[in-house]
Amino acid sequence: MMTERSIDELIKKLTNDSFEKKEFNRRNFLHGAGKIAGLSLGLTIVNSMGLGESRVNAAPKFQSYPFTLGVASGDPLSDSIVLWTRLAPDPLNGGGMQLQSVPVKWEIAKDEHFRHIIKRGTEIARPELAHSVHAEVDGLEPNTIYYYRFKTGHELSPVGKTKTLPTAGESIASMTFAFASCQQYEHGYYTAYEHMAKEELDLVFHLGDYIYEYGPNEYVAGTGNVRTHSGPEIITLEDYRNRHAQYRSDANLKAAHAAFPWVVTWDDHEVENNYANVIPEKGQSVEAFIKRRAAAYQAYYEHMPLRRTSLPNGADMQLYRDFTYGNLAAFFVLDTRQYRDDQANGDGTKAHTEESLDPNRSSLGKKQEEWLLGNLGNSKSHWNVLAQQIFFAQRRFGTDTTPTFSMDSWDGYPATRQRITDFVNNKNMKNLVVLTGDVHASWASNLMTDYNNNSSKIVGAEFVGTSITSGGNGADKRADTDRILARNPHIKFFNDYRGYVRCTVTPEKWQADYRVVPLVTEPGADISTRASFVYERDGKGLKEVEANAIPQGVKVSKEVEEDRNRAHGRAHEKQLEKKREKVNH
């Protein structure tokens, strides 16, 4: 049987082999670390999931209100929904619960006053999962609004509102949803969520960077930090739990969770900036990163409205999955972090090389890619949607003679992107829509069969949503905007304010409204629609149908695309300096 001691011995050997040799072989590192990750993560989850071993306190009493992190729902199906909460009377200090399991009752009704409760149940909130609750409620009616709440002891939670999906294949006239990403707590206030909670939406997608791992004021926005992370850079399971709790404590984020069902996926900062599979960003041992990733994955599950099928299992946490909204849209939620090959050329923005163009490199991993293409091939929906993290369309930087590309985005994995594009083109689908986060700005692009040929076929559209806060206030455009758009004629829109994207979908038309606020360094800013784009399956690509000036906001900033990467670099240097100081003392 594999024990912690034998795992530690394997980790030590791999660490010595990888880091003490003059040449660092990343391919061998990834292969060996992947084996250890499977053992180490499996052991971590097994040890943490001794479910049923802790004593159940049937009559809990709390020194303070336990539902400080609010309620949420997610992963909706036509007959089922996940209801979430976490008991945390002292949320920023480990939760403040005793090491006892606690029964938590839930109720779901069709009216917000709970006069007609249609289902009840009890879940056990266990210390092994930070006293989180993931109630999977079955037997619901399709395309129906429900209200829910929790009770434990004498305490009652806030009320949440949720909605099931229509039955697969059912004829649906329209749907409206929003997607968001990138909410660095220190960079601003969650004003966008305050406005989102007031929208009329069927669903919300969160596309990653729900939390950030940095210590206080390590990652600084261009307009300065206005809030402060509690605690240093997060490493351990308790660290990640406390950071999720700090973000979840925000009233506007809680309101948006309580208003709609959410479908979530992660990007990198839920663990660490730009990690790839089991390869850390920079300067960590194998042992440190594997343990850190295990902690981050478990804390993510604990704080999201996910099904038991997403419970961490060995080296994996199952996040790629699909949702079908009647016959209108099939959503394929991707995971571009957990299975990817390491970023080529040392990461960053670089010219293509033999490494980055290697057809065997993947951003999805073989199994996920086969799952995606198989589902796309079988889809009968009007729209096929990839809800995912990183910029899909080509973005050419550099010069005309020496172009450069982001090695962290799909540009760093062009073979995988081309296989998906060719598959869609060969099927003559014309209905691919890609939803994207990550880059802290709004973009809208036509998806082409060949980005180096402006007259090539258009097979879909990509809508990139700006951040909720990450990067600070932003501007209408940046110093390099015109230059980038000129080099990428398939990209039809850019904006650098903060906010989210609201999509209204019918069988014939997809409309994306870029909803933005002019500033996040102060609470209470108004929201506006900066622009609206329509995509129809007519081969003509994106059409701008609305454009508005934004009051109060900066019109042109001095920032450029690379400033985001430089800010992460400065944050990493601050982390290394703190580690050096700790060693010296």
Side-chain angles (χ1 to χ4, degrees):
M1 177 179 290
M2 184 58 62
T3 65
E4 288 191 27
R5 181 177 178 181
S6 54
I7 288 174
D8 288 341
E9 289 172 355
L10 283 173
I11 289 173
K12 183 177 180 181
K13 182 180 184 301
L14 182 60
T15 302
N16 291 339
D17 289 348
S18 298
F19 287 90
E20 292 182 4
K21 292 179 180 178
K22 291 183 180 180
E23 294 185 2
F24 177 49
N25 188 321
R26 298 185 71 90
R27 189 178 296 274
N28 289 343
F29 169 84
L30 176 59
H31 180 70
K35 289 182 178 179
I36 292 177
L39 299 169
S40 180
L41 285 173
L43 187 64
T44 301
I45 299 302
V46 167
N47 286 346
S48 69
M49 291 296 294
L51 301 185
E53 294 178 4
S54 54
R55 186 169 66 86
V56 176
N57 183 354
K61 295 181 180 180
F62 304 96
Q63 292 184 344
S64 57
Y65 188 59
F67 295 107
T68 55
L69 306 182
V71 299
S73 67
D75 273 16
L77 302 176
S78 61
D79 62 350
S80 176
I81 197 78
V82 178
L83 307 180
W84 175 93
T85 193
R86 180 189 167 201
L87 306 181
D90 189 6
L92 302 189
N93 294 288
M97 294 287 291
Q98 296 180 356
L99 292 177
Q100 298 175 335
S101 294
V102 175
V104 179
K105 298 177 181 178
W106 56 264
E107 297 176 326
I108 191 165
K110 287 189 176 181
D111 65 294
E112 58 187 316
H113 301 294
F114 292 84
R115 294 190 180 96
H116 305 287
I117 296 170
I118 62 166
K119 281 188 177 289
R120 290 186 173 95
T122 301
E123 297 289 322
I124 302 299
R126 305 179 187 277
E128 295 87 355
L129 288 177
H131 293 95
S132 61
V133 172
H134 300 74
E136 298 185 20
V137 183
D138 299 319
L140 302 177
E141 296 177 19
N143 205 19
T144 300
I145 291 173
Y146 291 98
Y147 299 86
Y148 63 95
R149 64 187 178 186
F150 299 91
K151 183 179 181 181
T152 184
H154 298 293
E155 302 288 355
L156 199 62
S157 78
V159 173
K161 180 183 178 184
T162 192
K163 187 179 183 183
T164 52
L165 301 184
T167 304
E170 179 185 350
S171 181
I172 298 296
S174 69
M175 73 173 296
T176 304
F177 71 92
F179 67 91
S181 65
C182 305
Q183 52 197 49
Q184 216 283 13
Y185 183 87
E186 298 179 304
H187 287 188
Y189 296 96
Y190 292 163
T191 312
Y193 281 134
E194 180 182 5
H195 295 290
M196 182 190 287
K198 299 173 184 176
E199 300 262 20
E200 295 291 330
L201 304 175
D202 298 301
L203 193 59
V204 170
F205 287 88
H206 196 283
L207 303 180
D209 294 344
Y210 190 97
I211 62 167
Y212 281 70
E213 77 277 20
Y214 299 110
N217 292 308
E218 290 175 350
Y219 178 26
V220 180
T223 49
N225 289 0
V226 297
R227 302 196 284 189
T228 305
H229 278 155
S230 60
E233 179 189 0
I234 52 179
I235 303 292
T236 68
L237 178 56
E238 184 170 353
D239 292 341
Y240 280 97
R241 285 170 170 170
N242 288 341
R243 185 60 54 82
H244 274 282
Q246 183 176 24
Y247 279 53
R248 281 279 194 169
S249 297
D250 183 275
N252 293 329
L253 178 55
K254 285 193 286 188
H257 269 297
F260 320 105
W262 283 40
V263 172
V264 301
T265 187
W266 53 31
D267 194 16
D268 51 342
H269 291 287
E270 285 86 357
V271 181
E272 182 206 37
N273 181 55
N274 278 22
Y275 85 95
N277 199 318
V278 293
I279 296 180
E281 180 187 20
K282 300 172 184 173
Q284 292 180 50
S285 71
V286 182
E287 178 182 19
F289 184 69
I290 289 174
K291 291 181 177 179
R292 181 180 191 175
R293 196 184 93 159
Y297 280 16
Q298 180 167 335
Y300 184 82
Y301 175 82
E302 290 170 349
H303 289 84
M304 297 295 148
L306 291 164
R307 294 181 178 272
R308 284 184 291 272
T309 49
S310 291
L311 187 71
N313 177 29
D316 296 321
M317 181 169 162
Q318 182 70 35
L319 271 190
Y320 67 85
R321 57 209 194 280
D322 62 288
F323 299 87
T324 302
Y325 201 92
N327 69 345
L328 187 59
F331 293 91
F332 304 103
V333 181
L334 304 186
D335 177 352
T336 62
R337 282 293 156 192
Q338 188 174 182
Y339 313 105
R340 66 159 63 191
D341 287 297
D342 190 22
Q343 292 94 340
N345 306 323
D347 205 357
T349 303
K350 308 284 179 59
H352 275 310
T353 64
E354 185 178 348
E355 181 187 7
S356 59
L357 297 174
D358 182 350
N360 295 315
R361 297 181 69 257
S362 177
S363 53
L364 298 177
K366 183 180 179 181
K367 185 177 179 182
Q368 184 179 190
E369 185 175 332
E370 289 176 350
W371 166 86
L372 174 61
L373 297 182
N375 278 281
L376 282 173
N378 292 326
S379 174
K380 301 294 191 292
S381 297
H382 290 290
W383 299 97
N384 289 301
V385 189
L386 309 188
Q388 56 95 54
Q389 300 78 10
I390 51 175
F391 210 106
F392 190 86
Q394 180 175 282
R395 267 191 314 168
R396 184 190 296 260
F397 302 114
T399 66
D400 291 335
T401 55
T402 311
T404 59
F405 306 88
S406 167
M407 293 294 108
D408 188 60
S409 72
W410 287 85
D411 274 335
Y413 305 83
T416 311
R417 176 177 62 197
Q418 197 62 49
R419 286 193 294 270
I420 295 170
T421 303
D422 289 346
F423 183 90
V424 169
N425 183 39
N426 292 337
K427 294 282 186 180
N428 198 31
M429 296 171 78
K430 297 182 183 178
N431 65 351
L432 181 67
V433 173
V434 178
L435 311 177
T436 302
D438 183 52
V439 292
H440 307 175
S442 297
W443 305 74
S445 307
N446 287 322
L447 301 180
M448 318 284 287
T449 54
D450 181 1
Y451 293 102
N452 299 315
N453 177 2
N454 294 337
S455 60
S456 68
K457 185 178 177 181
I458 297 172
V459 296
E462 179 178 23
F463 301 106
V464 181
T466 185
S467 64
I468 292 290
T469 54
S470 301
N473 288 339
D476 198 55
K477 68 178 187 177
R478 299 187 301 222
D480 60 350
T481 298
D482 293 340
R483 185 168 67 251
I484 292 173
L485 293 179
R487 291 206 177 100
N488 298 275
H490 58 280
I491 301 178
K492 302 302 180 183
F493 175 69
F494 172 87
N495 181 263
D496 194 34
Y497 293 130
R498 307 293 155 243
Y500 55 90
V501 181
R502 181 183 64 200
C503 296
T504 303
V505 185
T506 69
E508 297 79 25
K509 183 174 71 174
W510 187 293
Q511 179 165 324
D513 304 321
Y514 288 86
R515 303 279 284 162
V516 301
V517 294
L519 55 91
V520 292
T521 50
E522 298 175 9
D526 290 332
I527 197 157
S528 307
T529 298
R530 172 60 183 83
S532 295
F533 281 83
V534 163
Y535 178 76
E536 299 172 289
R537 298 183 302 276
D538 56 6
K540 297 179 181 179
L542 289 165
K543 306 178 189 70
E544 187 176 65
V545 295
E546 182 179 352
N548 301 294
I550 305 302
Q552 295 181 279
V554 173
K555 301 308 175 189
V556 183
S557 73
K558 296 179 180 179
E559 292 190 355
V560 295
E561 173 68 24
E562 194 60 27
D563 284 340
R564 181 169 57 91
N565 295 327
R566 294 190 186 105
H568 287 305
R570 288 191 294 270
H572 185 70
E573 287 303 315
K574 291 178 184 177
Q575 291 172 343
L576 291 179
E577 181 60 31
K578 289 177 181 177
K579 291 172 184 175
R580 286 192 289 266
E581 291 176 357
K582 190 174 181 180
V583 170
N584 292 335
H585 285 84

